[in-house]
Amino acid sequence: MPRTNAEVQALLQEYADLVRISGGDAFKARAYEKAARAVGGHPADVAGLDVKELREIPGVGRSIAEKIVEFLSSGQVSAVEERREHIPAGVRELIAIPQLGPRKAMLLHQELGISSVDALVAAIHGERLRDLKGFGEKTEQNILHGIELLRASGGRILLDAAMEVAERIVGELSALPGCERCAYAGSLRRMRDTIGDVDILVAAEASAPFMAALVALPEVAETLAHGEKKTSIRTAKGLQVDLRVLPPGSWGAGLQYFTGSKAHNIRTREIAVRRKLKLSEYGLFHAKSGRKITSETEEAIYERLGLPWIPPTLREDRGEIAAAERGELPDLITEDAVRGDLHTHTDLTDGLSSLEAMVEAAAARGYAYFAVTDHAPDLAMQRMTQEKMLAQRARVRELDRVHRGMRLLHGTELNIGPDGEVDWPGEFLAGFDICVASVHSHFNQSRDRLTRRLVRAAENPYVSVIGHPTTRRIGKRPGLDADFDAVFEACARTGTALEINSHPERLDLCDDDILRAKTYGVKFAVNSDAHSTTHLPYLRYGIGMAQRGWLTDEDVINTWPLGRLRRFLRPG
C-alpha cells in the first residue's frame, strides 16, 4: 500500500480535479492542489495527526485538515464521494485539452458518453459533436488542434526544453534597442521539474518593438494575444510564452511578482497589508496615499517587507517566509560549489562519447575531480566484463591529472537486482573508487520487496550512492511504490548518499523527496548521469532541484574536497 501521505495527496488532488470539472471555484481547486503537494512532501506520517497538527502543514487549512481526519478515520470523505457520484473519473482526462474546458468536457460525457481523448478524437472524425449546442466544425478543429498540442507537449514540458526556449527569447529581446533588462520568471525561474508556460519580462520605456519581435520569432506557431502590456504566443511544440513589458522603474517589483508561486505572493502581499502597504507588479506603495516606496529591485521589495531576499527556488510557500523572518534561510548550494560529477558514462557501455572526450569536457567545466561510472554486467545489453572494466581503469589512471590537474575516480553503476543484490563480488567491487547502485528493472514488485531491495543495496558496504532512487521518468514512468522513508532512514544509517539525478527526464530525487530525506540526515550527490559531453551541463537542473529541497553545500558530497569525499566513499 502507498504511504499514508501519498494516499491523502492523491485524494486531495482528485478533489481539486472534481471541483474544476463541476465548475466549482478555481481558488478552491488551487488550494486543494497546494495542500496535496504539501501533504505528499511532509516528512512525518500524517496518519497520527489531529486537525491542529495537520494545520501546521503549509497550505492545509481547517476545512482540508478536517477532510484528512475524516479520511484517516473512515477511509473516505463525504464531499469527495458526493462529487464522484456526478463526475465519472474518465472525464478528468478531457479537461487538459486546450480549447475544451471543464463544462464542455462534462457535456461531452453526458451527451455522447465520451470519457477519453481517444474517444473524443473518434467522435470528432465521426462528426458526432456538430449537433451539440456550442459545438460546430470550427470548434471541432480547435479541439483537434488542442489535442495535437497536448500530445506534443504532454500538458507540461520538461525543464530543459522550456529553458532552451526562454534563454533563446531572452537573448533575442535583450539585443533590441531600448531593452534595459530582460529575464525569464515564473515556474522556470523557480526551477520546477516541468513547466506549463514561460514568463518573459522586459524593462523598457516602449513595449511595441518587443511585442512585435516576439510574434515574429520563427518558432511561433500561433499568437494567442497581442497587446500593449502583454503578448502571448504558442510555439510549434505547444509551449505558451507570455511576454510582459514593464517600466524600468518597476523591474524589481515585476520580477518578484511574476516569479513567486501564487501562494508565496499571497504571503508577501499579506505582509504588505499588515504594514499598511500595497504590493503589486508595479511596486510597493503606501496603501493610503498611494505613494510609491520602492520598486526597482527585488532586494529592496523584500527588505521593505522586513525580509531578506528569498532565492527564487524557495518561493513556493513551503516555510520560506517564516524561515526568512527568523533569519534561518539556508545558504543554498550553487552550481559553482560543485567540485565534480560522480555519475557519468562513456561509449564503453551506453554513452555516446569516449572516455577521453568526457574527461576533457569535465576538465573544461573546471572540476577538481570526475568519476566515470559505466554500467556493470547485469544490464546484459551493455556486454560488460571484468576485463573491459579493468582495461578502462588502467586508462583512467593514465588520464589522472592530465587535464588541469583534475583527479579521476574509476567507478561503476551497479544494478540493484530483484532481491537487492548487485553485480560482481565484493573483492572486485573493492577495486573501484566509487560504486553507484540503481534500479533498472522489475519496477512492479510489491511495495515491501521494492523497499527491502533498496535498503539492502544501501547496506552493501561497497555502495556509496543510490542512483536515481525512485526511477521515475517524467511523463513516462512513475516512481517506485516503495517505502522511501525506510530507504531514507537506511541511507542515513549506513552513510549512503542519495542521488539527485540531473537528467531533465529524471530529476530524481525530486524536491519533495529531497525535503523529506534531508530530515533523516541523508547526504546527497548531484550528478549529471551524462551519457555524452553535451549532457554534463544538465547539472544545472539537478542543482535547481537541490535548491528547491533547501540543500546547502554541506548536504552535497560532491561539493566537498577530494580527501573528505574519499573518506565518505570508503569509510574506515
Side-chain angles (χ1 to χ4, degrees):
M1 290 293 292
R3 179 173 175 263
T4 304
N5 295 40
E7 292 182 300
V8 174
Q9 179 182 8
L11 182 80
L12 296 177
Q13 181 59 56
E14 179 184 1
Y15 189 67
D17 293 341
L18 294 172
V19 168
R20 278 203 172 92
I21 294 169
S22 60
D25 180 57
F27 179 81
K28 182 177 183 179
R30 288 196 297 271
Y32 275 86
E33 286 182 335
K34 175 189 169 185
R37 292 192 297 271
V39 170
H42 191 61
D45 193 334
V46 299
L49 304 184
D50 58 22
V51 170
K52 182 179 178 181
E53 292 167 325
L54 286 167
R55 292 190 65 188
E56 294 177 4
I57 301 174
V60 176
R62 174 170 294 278
S63 177
I64 295 175
E66 289 173 348
K67 287 183 174 66
I68 294 173
V69 169
E70 180 184 354
F71 174 71
L72 295 174
S73 61
S74 67
Q76 61 181 20
V77 175
S78 57
V80 176
E81 295 300 318
E82 290 173 5
R83 289 187 183 265
R84 280 175 176 168
E85 290 179 4
H86 298 96
I87 305 168
V91 178
R92 269 173 276 164
E93 184 183 357
L94 301 179
I95 67 171
I97 301 172
Q99 313 291 337
L100 191 56
R103 287 192 176 88
K104 284 188 175 181
M106 192 62 186
L107 178 64
L108 288 171
H109 178 80
Q110 291 171 337
E111 298 294 327
L112 300 176
I114 295 171
S115 59
S116 72
V117 174
D118 288 340
L120 178 56
V121 171
I124 291 174
H125 290 319
E127 300 184 356
R128 297 173 57 207
L129 272 61
R130 297 183 183 183
D131 294 332
L132 297 179
K133 184 178 180 180
F135 291 81
E137 185 174 352
K138 183 175 177 56
T139 306
E140 289 177 344
Q141 294 307 311
N142 287 339
I143 293 173
L144 283 176
H145 180 52
I147 291 172
E148 290 173 4
L149 293 171
L150 178 67
R151 286 175 170 171
S153 66
R156 297 178 68 84
I157 75 167
L158 297 180
L159 179 57
D160 65 321
M163 187 69 75
E164 180 182 354
V165 171
E167 290 184 336
R168 187 163 61 249
I169 292 176
V170 167
E172 293 281 352
L173 299 182
S174 296
L176 294 180
C179 180
E180 296 192 18
R181 303 287 295 273
C182 183
Y184 56 80
S187 58
L188 183 60
R189 190 169 178 231
R190 301 198 311 274
M191 296 293 280
R192 288 280 305 272
D193 53 6
T194 62
I195 306 300
D197 52 59
V198 169
D199 295 296
I200 304 289
L201 303 182
V202 165
E205 296 293 348
S207 65
F210 300 94
M211 302 306 188
L214 178 67
V215 299
L217 291 176
E219 57 261 53
V220 174
E222 59 180 318
T223 300
L224 304 176
H226 193 165
E228 181 180 348
K229 296 181 179 180
K230 177 183 175 182
T231 292
S232 299
I233 60 94
R234 199 184 304 276
T235 71
K237 293 185 177 180
L239 178 63
Q240 181 171 327
V241 178
D242 299 327
L243 170 63
R244 295 173 175 86
V245 178
L246 304 167
S250 297
W251 176 257
L255 190 59
Q256 191 277 332
Y257 183 89
F258 289 111
T259 292
S261 69
K262 291 180 181 178
H264 176 88
N265 287 349
I266 288 171
R267 294 277 188 174
T268 54
R269 288 198 296 271
E270 287 172 347
I271 294 173
V273 169
R274 290 199 298 269
R275 291 173 173 255
K276 302 186 185 306
L277 305 171
K278 180 181 178 182
L279 178 62
S280 75
E281 63 267 44
Y282 296 106
L284 189 63
F285 303 86
H286 280 292
K288 188 173 183 179
S289 69
R291 181 174 62 86
K292 182 186 288 189
I293 298 172
T294 187
S295 62
E296 291 185 0
T297 69
E298 285 190 318
E299 289 81 358
I301 296 290
Y302 281 108
E303 182 180 5
R304 189 60 180 80
L305 295 176
L307 302 171
W309 179 78
I310 298 176
T313 45
L314 297 187
R315 300 181 199 176
E316 296 286 359
D317 190 27
R318 294 193 289 198
E320 71 278 4
I321 298 290
E325 290 174 332
R326 297 192 303 267
E328 296 177 359
L329 284 175
D331 187 7
L332 295 179
I333 182 176
T334 64
E335 190 173 359
D336 289 342
V338 175
R339 297 175 186 243
D341 199 330
L342 301 180
H343 181 181
T344 67
H345 297 273
T346 75
D347 58 3
L348 181 63
T349 54
D350 59 345
L352 300 175
S353 300
S354 68
L355 169 64
E356 290 77 10
M358 293 293 288
V359 170
E360 185 175 358
R365 291 177 61 79
Y367 289 149
Y369 48 80
F370 181 70
V372 177
T373 55
D374 274 313
H375 288 289
D378 282 358
L379 278 183
M381 73 286 293
Q382 308 302 340
R383 300 182 180 179
M384 179 55 72
T385 65
Q386 290 191 11
E387 292 73 23
K388 287 182 180 180
M389 193 59 84
L390 290 174
Q392 184 186 65
R393 181 175 302 164
R395 182 57 178 152
V396 167
R397 301 301 184 227
E398 290 175 1
L399 293 171
D400 188 37
R401 297 182 188 265
V402 168
H403 294 282
R404 301 185 181 182
M406 185 177 70
R407 303 304 307 271
L408 297 182
L409 303 178
H410 187 240
T412 183
E413 184 181 10
L414 302 167
N415 306 287
I416 302 175
D419 296 316
E421 73 281 3
V422 297
D423 325 59
W424 286 321
E427 58 267 23
F428 191 71
L429 295 179
F432 289 101
D433 299 314
I434 178 174
C435 292
V436 178
S438 310
V439 171
H440 293 108
S441 63
H442 299 84
F443 305 118
N444 297 320
Q445 289 179 309
S446 70
R447 181 176 175 83
D448 286 344
R449 286 198 67 183
L450 285 169
T451 303
R452 288 196 302 270
R453 182 179 175 186
L454 288 164
V455 168
R456 185 180 174 194
E459 291 173 342
N460 187 307
Y462 299 102
V463 171
S464 303
V465 180
I466 301 295
H468 45 76
T470 77
T471 79
R472 76 165 183 168
R473 301 295 295 269
I474 299 172
K476 297 179 181 179
R477 183 173 69 217
L480 297 174
D481 178 20
D483 180 356
F484 276 97
D485 289 285
V487 176
F488 299 156
E489 187 280 328
C491 288
R493 170 171 50 83
T494 60
T496 306
L498 287 165
E499 182 176 68
I500 301 172
N501 189 294
S502 302
H503 193 290
E505 291 185 3
R506 290 191 183 274
L507 295 177
D508 180 13
L509 293 170
C510 70
D511 52 347
D512 288 338
D513 289 332
I514 296 166
L515 285 164
R516 246 170 64 212
K518 183 175 179 177
T519 66
Y520 289 87
V522 174
K523 296 302 182 184
F524 302 84
V526 182
N527 299 322
S528 69
D529 193 5
H531 285 62
S532 166
T533 57
T534 59
H535 295 169
L536 291 172
Y538 282 165
L539 196 83
R540 68 186 295 198
Y541 304 119
I543 293 296
M545 285 299 105
Q547 290 181 344
R548 289 177 60 80
W550 293 50
L551 297 190
T552 67
D553 294 359
E554 178 61 25
D555 297 312
V556 179
I557 65 173
N558 48 322
T559 68
W560 299 350
L562 181 59
R564 183 183 178 191
L565 174 65
R566 285 191 184 277
R567 290 191 294 274
F568 178 88
L569 298 177
R570 286 289 183 266

